[in-house]
Amino acid sequence: MASLEAMAAKIPIPAGHQSLDNLILGLKIGLNQLGPDELLEALPGQKTAAFHFAVDDDALKVIDQPLRPSSREKDMAMGALEVAVEHGEYVIGG
């Protein structure tokens, strides 16, 4: 696997064409070459949907799903909130 990765690293990949990188990543995942933390870093997170649905008694129903952001998402949101407050204070004070 290391030799395959080394050979692939030498292949020039044009901007916007990362399919080869994705294939190599898929090989690593399939061969259990990535640890849990590396796997989480490599895979995109699930997007939070506005609504979740289920079929119950032959009827489509909306399921109430509480939002549980990951710690990384929470940190990013708190950082964005802090910057927004700082800019708001600047606008109000200016």
Side-chain angles (χ1 to χ4, degrees):
M1 183 65 181
S3 62
L4 175 62
E5 188 175 355
M7 289 182 343
K10 295 177 185 177
I11 299 171
I13 302 172
H17 293 86
Q18 298 173 338
S19 59
L20 186 57
D21 286 341
N22 291 339
L23 288 172
I24 293 170
L25 180 60
L27 286 171
K28 287 181 173 182
I29 292 169
L31 296 172
N32 295 321
Q33 297 292 315
L34 297 179
D37 291 333
E38 294 169 310
L39 183 61
L40 288 174
E41 282 290 319
L43 297 176
Q46 295 265 335
K47 302 296 181 211
T48 302
F51 300 99
H52 292 265
F53 299 95
V55 176
D56 187 24
D57 295 326
D58 294 327
L60 185 63
K61 296 184 178 181
V62 177
I63 300 172
D64 185 20
Q65 295 275 341
L67 181 62
R68 292 188 182 104
S70 69
S71 60
R72 181 178 173 203
E73 291 171 326
K74 186 176 180 181
D75 291 344
M76 289 172 49
M78 291 306 295
L81 180 60
E82 288 175 17
V83 170
V85 169
E86 288 173 9
H87 284 283
E89 290 172 352
Y90 170 77
V91 170
I92 292 171

